[in-house]
Amino acid sequence: MKKHFILFALFAFGIIFSQQTRVQRATVAFMNVENLWDTVPSADYIDGTKDVHNPAFHRSVPLDSLRYLEVTEEYKGEWSNDLLMGKKVIRPQILADDFTENSSKNWTPAKYKEKMGNLAKVISELGRQYTNDNPVIVGLIEIENRQVIVDLLKEPLLAKSNYGIVHYNSYDARGIDIAIIYQKARFKVTDTYTKEIKIFGDEGKRSYTRDVLVARGVLDGEKVAFFMNHWPSRSGGEARSLPRRIAAATVLKSEMDRILAEDPSTKMFAMGDFNDDPVSPSLKKYLGAVGEPSQLSDKTPYYNLMTKLYKAGVASLAYRDAPNLFDQIIVSKNLYSPEKLSKTYSVYRTEVYAPSYLINNQGQWKGYPLRSWDGDNYTSGYSDHFPAFTVIQKEYLGK
């Protein structure tokens, strides 16, 4: 019994045995969870008297609870954390009633619970065949608020991993947020923050999108930084909307460059739904993410793990009936090692996860991701994007 317990403990921490060498592995993954909304209509409440890192600084509040909260003014200015310091204001969400029982979607608690179970199943499988464990780091895209993450982590398949949460409410008009969950036993957070992306419409009016979410810390003894992204969509067409994603790429590159200059030993992962392919100008030119290890240098230190998959015809979604690989993972050059195994973490394997049950097998959308929504009709599916993951590994030096 004791021997079996020890083996279980090793598997639980991603430690495996390969040709008499102990190997430690960790999965870094993310998933666009396609409109993960609770069933309660809500608005954003910003309490600028609190610290910006406090979840209560900017939170989602049920509409029927707003009357109990202090409001210092009817705010009409630009939405920015800096400008809201000291104020207590409400930011309405467009389509606040969209995901409720009384809406055309008839979004009920039972459907919400079913979707939670579906997502937990997928997330628990990401990289498992290589680590025998849930992912250590998971980025979540298209969530409504912190509460839906809390509910997701209560699912039995995920609860056993004791995940922590990194989340900040965004000023996106619909309230769409991104987040990171992490196994607290393996990743020790030292700093979290967001980097604002400012974009403007044709008439010069500010358009609000998701910030870049950054989490820095120590993963199994190594300094790391994670950058979660959900870049502006291709609404209005790819070419017309490209400047918005170039703006996002510029913000991401600036922050990655800053951390690289501050501490070149930090291993960095930029991931998410970029709404562009690996060969698009935003990623290739403005972020400078190369597609081959041979192209890595001090001037081009970022490697797009998805470029080879894209060139091989792998897709994570279909946009306007064309296959695309918008869901990508980009790493700093110190995560690439030509050796199969080293004493520090390097990339072992990267995949777009598309088992048969995540693929629609009939009708007009045959071969597409089995999405949760077909217009206003809930399908009991999973997402309109396939998730992606990378497994990193190193020689295990523990006792």
Side-chain angles (χ1 to χ4, degrees):
M1 174 67 92
K2 183 176 180 181
K3 178 181 179 181
H4 290 166
F5 175 79
I6 292 172
L7 287 174
F8 173 80
L10 290 174
F11 283 137
F13 279 85
I15 301 166
I16 64 173
F17 293 87
S18 176
Q19 297 179 341
Q20 306 306 314
T21 300
R22 292 190 297 174
V23 178
Q24 185 167 25
R25 289 178 179 163
T27 298
V28 175
F30 72 93
M31 183 176 185
N32 185 320
V33 293
E34 191 193 0
N35 295 324
L36 184 57
W37 254 245
D38 60 28
T39 62
V40 181
S42 59
D44 284 0
Y45 178 69
I46 297 96
D47 183 349
T49 66
K50 299 186 182 300
D51 185 271
V52 71
H53 294 93
N54 186 332
F57 175 89
H58 182 180
R59 67 187 191 270
S60 182
V61 177
L63 293 181
D64 59 7
S65 298
L66 290 175
R67 64 182 181 271
Y68 300 112
L69 298 172
E70 180 184 5
V71 177
T72 56
E73 64 181 272
E74 184 179 349
Y75 188 71
K76 297 182 181 294
E78 184 176 318
W79 295 95
S80 166
N81 288 348
D82 290 342
L83 295 176
L84 291 167
M85 292 295 182
K87 306 180 190 303
K88 295 183 179 182
V89 301
I90 294 170
R91 177 172 168 79
Q93 294 178 5
I94 64 172
L95 307 178
D97 296 320
D98 210 23
F99 288 85
T100 63
E101 290 188 72
N102 297 322
S103 73
S104 57
K105 287 183 167 58
N106 186 28
W107 186 230
T108 64
K111 293 174 182 176
Y112 176 68
K113 177 64 176 174
E114 180 185 36
K115 173 144 181 162
M116 287 294 184
N118 286 351
L119 294 175
K121 171 180 168 59
V122 179
I123 291 169
S124 71
E125 293 174 356
L126 298 177
R128 176 168 290 276
Q129 71 184 98
Y130 306 110
T131 65
N132 295 299
D133 191 16
N134 285 348
V136 176
I137 304 289
V138 186
L140 301 173
I141 301 167
E142 285 196 15
I143 58 168
E144 181 188 14
N145 52 43
R146 189 181 187 90
Q147 186 59 49
V148 299
I149 312 170
V150 172
D151 292 344
L152 178 63
L153 296 183
K154 291 177 182 176
E155 291 294 317
L157 289 171
L158 300 180
K160 58 188 178 183
S161 291
N162 190 26
Y163 282 109
I165 299 171
V166 180
H167 167 261
Y168 294 90
N169 264 39
S170 80
Y171 292 108
D172 180 277
R174 281 190 59 200
I176 295 176
D177 298 341
I178 55 180
I180 295 171
I181 60 174
Y182 60 94
Q183 288 192 26
K184 290 186 281 189
R186 297 184 65 180
F187 179 52
K188 307 302 181 184
V189 176
T190 58
D191 193 16
T192 67
Y193 54 93
T194 60
K195 298 302 292 185
E196 186 179 39
I197 299 170
K198 286 192 174 185
I199 57 175
F200 298 88
D202 293 338
E203 298 178 356
K205 185 178 179 180
R206 175 84 185 269
S207 179
Y208 294 90
T209 189
R210 287 72 52 179
D211 298 334
V212 178
L213 175 62
V214 184
R216 299 180 69 177
V218 179
L219 172 62
D220 297 330
E222 298 189 41
K223 291 181 182 179
V224 293
F226 299 98
F227 305 80
M228 270 306 300
N229 299 265
H230 186 187
W231 286 5
S233 74
R234 290 187 170 188
S235 176
E238 178 184 354
R240 185 176 177 182
S241 61
L242 178 59
R244 304 171 202 159
R245 292 183 297 282
I246 289 175
T250 302
V251 170
L252 175 60
K253 186 178 190 311
S254 176
E255 190 59 17
M256 292 180 74
D257 286 351
R258 186 188 71 80
I259 292 176
L260 180 64
E262 176 186 297
D263 187 350
S265 70
T266 301
K267 297 189 171 182
M268 296 188 285
F269 301 78
M271 56 187 180
D273 177 358
F274 293 92
N275 274 304
D276 266 337
D277 289 314
V279 296
S280 298
S282 60
L283 289 150
K284 192 171 182 180
K285 179 180 178 181
Y286 290 90
L287 182 60
V290 301
E292 295 287 342
S294 61
Q295 297 172 317
L296 286 168
S297 69
D298 290 341
K299 291 185 178 180
T300 54
Y302 308 128
Y303 177 30
N304 194 330
L305 299 175
M306 307 318 242
T307 302
K308 289 183 178 180
L309 295 177
Y310 174 78
K311 291 181 176 180
V314 174
S316 60
L317 79 159
Y319 174 73
R320 295 185 176 177
D321 291 335
N324 290 102
L325 186 47
F326 289 172
D327 302 88
Q328 299 164 55
I329 302 174
I330 298 156
V331 298
S332 51
K333 69 175 183 175
N334 54 5
L335 274 158
Y336 171 75
S337 173
E339 301 175 4
K340 290 185 177 180
L341 190 63
S342 62
K343 297 187 186 305
T344 62
Y345 271 134
S346 61
V347 172
Y348 169 64
R349 190 173 184 90
T350 304
E351 295 182 11
V352 171
Y353 189 61
S356 59
Y357 75 86
L358 286 183
I359 303 173
N360 196 330
N361 60 14
Q362 60 186 351
Q364 179 182 1
W365 312 116
K366 184 176 181 179
Y368 287 47
L370 183 57
R371 61 190 305 158
S372 298
W373 294 95
D374 182 5
D376 283 337
N377 298 314
Y378 176 62
T379 68
S380 295
Y382 298 84
S383 175
D384 53 351
H385 290 240
F386 295 129
F389 68 84
T390 188
V391 176
I392 54 176
Q393 71 174 10
K394 62 180 176 180
E395 184 178 345
Y396 181 64
L397 303 176
K399 295 180 181 179

